[in-house]
Amino acid sequence: MRFLLSLILFAALAACNQPTPKTTQENMKGKYAIAIHGGAGNLVKMNLSQEQQDAYIHALDSALLTGEAILKSGGSAVDAVEATVRILEDCPLFNAGKGAVFTHDGTHELDAAIMDGSNGECGAVAAVQHIKNPISLARKVMEKSEFILLHGAGAEAFAQEHGIESADSAYFFTPHRWEQLQDAIEDDKTELDHSEKKKASNDNAPREEKFGTVGCVALDQNGNLAAATSTGGLTNKRYGRIGDSPLIGSGTYANNASCAVSCTGKGEDFIRLNVAHEISAMMRHKNYDLQQACDSVIHGALKSVKGRGGCIALDSQGHIAMPFTTSGMFRGSIDTAGQKTIMLYEAP
Amino acid sequence: MRFLLSLILFAALAACNQPTPKTTQENMKGKYAIAIHGGAGNLVKMNLSQEQQDAYIHALDSALLTGEAILKSGGSAVDAVEATVRILEDCPLFNAGKGAVFTHDGTHELDAAIMDGSNGECGAVAAVQHIKNPISLARKVMEKSEFILLHGAGAEAFAQEHGIESADSAYFFTPHRWEQLQDAIEDDKTELDHSEKKKASNDNAPREEKFGTVGCVALDQNGNLAAATSTGGLTNKRYGRIGDSPLIGSGTYANNASCAVSCTGKGEDFIRLNVAHEISAMMRHKNYDLQQACDSVIHGALKSVKGRGGCIALDSQGHIAMPFTTSGMFRGSIDTAGQKTIMLYEAP
């Protein structure tokens, strides 16, 4: 009889999604983890040569190792995500910083955000044109401003007052991005990170499109989470469009009580669903684990609105999830056991 | 024995916050509701003359009646929130549209957002300087743009292409806002909607501060929710600061599955907590009712970070919540029974 009662009680509680036992804080001592992305897209695998793939893998690896070194030596998650994103911003392969795409007017408008999961502090910048590393400006906004989101010339004035490195327009010029803009203007289309022009003879062929944006999430040895995202947005973007990357809760979010998330993809879907915050909310309010929450939001809600993209996410136990709805997402991670993974397409 | 089992099962389920029975869709047929706010703040009641209070009440009443007329005649929630916010934007009493506060540079940077809870569509503008009714531009962005958030000159170019009414800087000049800017510059302080200057002889007196922003949430006869928010932001704001109002999920959110929310207050706290989306998340994931979710977020999370402000919220059963952490919030509502309420300070 007592056994029967216990069984029923157990079943009832289990049905209510009670939290599953988690690794204790003690077990996490000295552990750290990191994940990065360099954009997602409907990438046709064959369109990238082996050499090009190797270049992306090498760049992702360099970024990961930079963040790992900071975490390994006891540095903070905030330091790790900023330094890692800076490496990706400085690499012309990615649509952020140096490799940012062109707007319709032939300029660059860069967005970035950073969030410290230990205290909810965050900083973000939108549409800055002359900042070498927008993620470092976002961090300065977090630490030195009473505001969270600064934009345009005002954000650049703040940068100047705080010694943030600027860069002139020439720094951001890359020939392949310029070509992409000309193609996009010719097609009168707002493009993602890059799209291979359809061949006139084969208009139904799958179009390679890659949503730029780079991002990093990290867990440090003190159990603190942080997230950072940086992007050049959409090629040929107009009208002062701001995407999800600099918007806290949409493209970037961190909260020690749940997870750190950085998104990549067609930003509008991530904004309307508040993707990053929704993943956190499912963990906090439904007791979902990280993978369940990510699957529910990315493979559930996002897919149901035909949203294209994905995210990297990390919880305070070092679990890593990297779900996406596209055929590929450039990504990498080092888990708490030191296991490194770098992938461009779907898992084999 | 069977009774005992049932009792235990019931207790276990109750502990899991199962949904409480709700009014059925059928009972809501032909019902509508609306709520508005005109800013919150640490208002010292005696600082407003009876005449001034009456002016605010009259303006709130006019706005409410505009929205109600649309809902009563079967109009959509989106139409109702846009039209209602336009009335508040056109009134120089409120910090939005005509009555917007000045930036540090003596300009106006207006933010607005609108969201349709029936389909998740949304539109927003930030830092527009020459748009008479930013909420109508936000709606045009929602309906005619592939983007969600446009800013600055780009947003104004979009407005021009779509026949949105512009206004020159002189339209937004109001003497009391200009004085507030001079006071704020003198104090070297970023101010809210308005602050009465401390008297030199009485520096410890409570300072009257009012966070501007206007907003509206509505439920139409088809059971659809919508939310709209518009603001001039902070007096003496600098560096291209963007607040929570135009950020979907922070200051503005609507989702038929949960609620419509419009916030007012010191925007940064609303951004870091994703206040509007968090209220929705608590309803969707914890089965909280509207009041529980609002109390938990505004009187719980927001208060715990010393966040100042509040929100108006409405669910698809027409329940209305208007919580705030400040001593006052200018607000009004008409519930599904036609009961109208307008209040400036705490409930009596």
Side-chain angles (χ1 to χ4, degrees), chain A residues 109-191:
Chain A
E109 291 190 347
L110 311 174
D111 303 335
I114 192 165
M115 188 161 188
D116 181 342
S118 72
N119 56 15
E121 294 294 319
C122 43
V125 293
V128 294
Q129 300 199 346
H130 309 98
I131 302 298
K132 183 169 174 283
N133 292 104
I135 197 64
S136 293
L137 178 53
R139 181 171 182 177
K140 196 63 86 177
V141 172
M142 174 171 81
E143 293 179 344
K144 300 292 183 190
S145 166
E146 62 185 311
F147 305 139
I148 289 176
L149 176 56
L150 304 183
H151 85 279
E156 295 191 10
F158 177 86
Q160 201 165 13
E161 286 180 20
H162 289 84
I164 293 289
E165 188 175 0
S166 64
D168 59 20
S169 302
Y171 170 77
F172 297 105
F173 182 89
T174 51
H176 68 295
R177 297 298 188 200
W178 183 252
E179 271 171 40
Q180 285 163 13
L181 173 63
Q182 306 317 312
D183 287 350
I185 288 175
E186 196 183 307
D187 289 0
D188 192 23
K189 188 171 180 303
T190 307
E191 297 286 354

Side-chain angles (χ1 to χ4, degrees), chain A residues 1 5 8 16 120 146-149 151 161 190 239-242 248 268 272 274 277-278 284-285, chain B residues 1 5 16 120 146-151 155 161 190 239-242 248 268 272 274 277-278 284-285:
Chain A
M1 156 72 180
L5 283 179
I8 289 166
C16 298
E146 62 185 311
F147 305 139
I148 289 176
L149 176 56
H151 85 279
E161 286 180 20
T190 307
Y239 307 124
R241 179 257 189 190
I242 296 173
I248 300 302
E268 279 65 21
R272 91 179 74 251
N274 271 227
H277 185 259
E278 179 72 354
R284 290 178 292 116
H285 303 321
Chain B
M1 155 75 180
L5 284 180
C16 297
E146 63 185 309
F147 305 139
I148 288 176
L149 175 56
L150 305 184
H151 85 278
E161 286 179 20
T190 305
Y239 308 123
R241 179 257 189 187
I242 296 173
I248 300 302
E268 279 65 22
R272 91 179 74 250
N274 273 225
H277 186 259
E278 180 71 355
R284 290 178 292 115
H285 303 321

Side-chain angles (χ1 to χ4, degrees), chain B residues 33-35 37 77-78 81 115-118 216-220 223-229 251-263 275-277 279-280 283 290 294 311-323:
Chain B
I34 184 169
H37 68 75
V78 169
V81 298
M115 188 161 188
D116 181 342
S118 71
C216 180
V217 291
L219 168 70
D220 67 28
N224 292 323
L225 291 167
T229 313
T252 307
Y253 187 74
N255 181 343
N256 277 7
S258 53
C259 57
V261 182
S262 171
C263 300
V275 164
H277 186 259
I279 291 171
S280 162
M283 294 180 69
L290 185 79
C294 284
C311 73
I312 50 170
L314 182 61
D315 71 13
S316 54
Q317 275 69 47
H319 299 117
I320 295 167
M322 303 195 279

